[in-house]
Amino acid sequence: MARRSPFDIGGFHIPAGTRRTIDLPVSVLSDHTPVNMSAHVIHGQEDGPTLFVSAAIHGDEVIGVEIARRLLRSRQFSHMKGTLIVVPIVNTFGFLNHSRYLPDRRDLNRCFPGSEGGSLASRLAHLFMTEIVARSDLGIDLHSAAIHRTNMPQIRVSPKGEQTLGYADAFGAPVVIRSGLRDGSLRKEAQKAGVDILLYEAGEGLRFDEQSARVGVAGILRVMHALGMITDEGVPLAEGKPLRANDTAWERAPAGGLLRAFKTIGETVVAGDVLGIVSDPFGEEEMELTASQSGLIIGRANMPIVNEGDALFHIATVNITRAEEQIETLNAQLDGAALFDEDEII
């Protein structure tokens, strides 16, 4: 059998059956410190699809970096088919500064496809599109909520991506949401280039949590199995089919003050349920925040200090009975699963 050709990326050549971390130059800081976008490439001995996994497009969304780290320590890649590209930190600038944004306050996920001679954000977006996306057949982009918010594990896909919807089901997150594509986003520009992306949302900005990490690693391995890149040996099987939602909505603060929340992510609610109470600091006035629709809470604000109109609870329209069963199944599955890293501190 003819040996597979090396994988070429950024001027580097990775032979079949090997793995390597490469540095793609991005910029030079004002003090002459070079900045790179680092990628780890695992190039299998046999032909197969190319999958990229990216994290920290928003620099404060660190749970994806932990998922990438655990993924690269997995033992399933010794006989892998195809090629896996893992970029744990896309937005190095934001990551170092614990910030969602780049130094010029631009949101990188609104700057795709970028340009070679544009702003710093535009150049970084262009580099990612040309070196990573253009070489891939499918992508998994890892995100979390912003700081002071948290998301339950969920996958978001394009409303028109039927084949990608199958990979979203294979991922095995509790909820799959069909969400629109925003101008300048990686998902939209990658789809234009013929590469669909699963967007994984879980956890909180600048924080780790064990459930989000475990669901993320297991989900990526399941997608790789669905793509035919790895066998099912050592891949945790998903129990039950994910819930699907086409509509989500935020419940907002009816007044400014202090929030006492009665519900959290993963709980189902019925229209009219009290989600929390907002009171003034003296306790003289209190206003109930009630659910305007039935569904599953997939995100919420963690800060008790709120202004009128702040988004507090994110509710997805789903079958409530199925949602309760699915969340129970997920929790039982996670409780019975072994840690991916024996040195984890929970």
Side-chain angles (χ1 to χ4, degrees):
M1 183 176 66
R3 188 170 178 81
R4 192 180 182 205
S5 299
F7 187 77
D8 296 331
I9 178 171
F12 298 91
H13 310 284
I14 294 91
T18 67
R19 55 194 295 172
R20 180 179 178 184
T21 298
I22 63 168
D23 294 328
L24 303 172
V26 175
S27 179
V28 177
L29 298 180
S30 55
D31 66 351
H32 204 63
T33 302
V35 178
N36 299 310
M37 182 172 68
S38 299
H40 190 86
V41 180
I42 304 175
H43 190 42
Q45 293 187 8
E46 298 183 48
D47 289 336
T50 298
L51 171 72
F52 79 79
V53 176
S54 57
I57 278 183
H58 295 131
D60 61 350
E61 297 180 358
V62 298
I63 188 63
V65 184
E66 172 65 1
I67 292 170
R69 184 193 70 82
R70 295 192 191 190
L71 175 68
L72 291 173
R73 289 170 59 94
S74 298
R75 301 173 182 175
Q76 283 82 0
F77 302 144
S78 56
H79 300 290
M80 190 189 80
K81 297 179 180 179
T83 305
L84 174 66
I85 309 171
V86 180
V87 185
I89 304 169
V90 179
N91 178 2
T92 304
F93 305 94
F95 184 80
L96 291 174
N97 291 298
H98 307 164
S99 170
R100 180 181 181 88
Y101 304 106
L102 285 116
D104 57 4
R105 295 295 297 169
R106 281 185 169 87
D107 183 337
L108 180 58
N109 209 25
R110 298 294 179 269
C111 295
F112 289 93
S115 64
E116 192 172 8
S119 67
L120 177 60
S122 186
R123 294 178 190 217
L124 181 54
H126 175 76
L127 177 68
F128 191 83
M129 288 292 296
T130 54
E131 295 292 351
I132 308 300
V133 175
R135 288 176 166 81
S136 304
D137 300 299
L138 181 71
I140 301 176
D141 192 28
L142 308 174
H143 287 260
S144 76
I147 57 172
H148 307 315
R149 290 185 181 179
T150 189
N151 285 332
M152 75 172 289
Q154 58 195 262
I155 286 287
R156 299 182 185 179
V157 295
S158 164
K160 298 180 180 179
E162 290 301 327
Q163 183 179 18
T164 311
L165 191 59
Y167 295 131
D169 286 342
F171 192 101
V175 186
V176 173
I177 301 170
R178 294 197 188 204
S179 61
L181 302 176
R182 295 187 177 183
D183 291 340
S185 69
L186 172 61
R187 278 205 301 153
K188 184 168 185 175
E189 295 306 321
Q191 189 179 79
K192 286 182 182 178
V195 181
D196 272 347
I197 290 179
L198 303 179
L199 190 150
Y200 177 63
E201 282 274 3
E204 178 185 358
L206 296 178
R207 297 288 185 272
F208 284 176
D209 77 85
E210 186 63 21
Q211 184 185 71
S212 297
R214 289 203 207 181
V215 173
V217 177
I220 295 169
L221 292 175
R222 293 185 193 120
V223 172
M224 293 183 70
H225 172 58
L227 288 166
M229 298 176 71
I230 59 175
T231 67
D232 61 359
E233 183 178 355
V235 176
L237 299 177
E239 297 184 19
K241 192 173 182 180
L243 301 162
R244 290 187 182 178
N246 294 325
D247 298 304
T248 68
W250 280 95
E251 302 292 355
R252 297 182 178 275
L258 304 176
L259 170 68
R260 305 198 305 279
F262 301 153
K263 301 288 186 180
T264 190
I265 57 172
E267 293 189 51
T268 56
V269 294
V270 176
D273 281 355
V274 178
L275 303 174
I277 291 177
V278 178
S279 63
D280 70 274
F282 304 99
E284 295 174 349
E285 294 186 15
E286 294 189 339
M287 293 189 67
E288 290 185 345
L289 171 62
T290 58
S292 60
Q293 62 175 3
S294 302
L296 176 69
I297 299 175
I298 59 170
R300 59 154 289 189
N302 291 330
M303 281 283 284
I305 304 167
V306 301
N307 296 308
E308 184 173 352
D310 282 354
L312 301 183
F313 294 89
H314 197 192
I315 299 176
T317 304
V318 297
N319 182 302
I320 292 179
T321 302
R322 273 210 64 219
E324 292 173 343
E325 294 173 353
Q326 181 68 6
I327 299 305
E328 288 180 6
T329 300
L330 173 67
N331 290 335
Q333 182 179 349
L334 290 172
D335 289 341
L339 291 176
F340 282 94
D341 188 328
E342 65 275 13
D343 297 324
E344 283 309 321
I345 299 174
I346 304 176

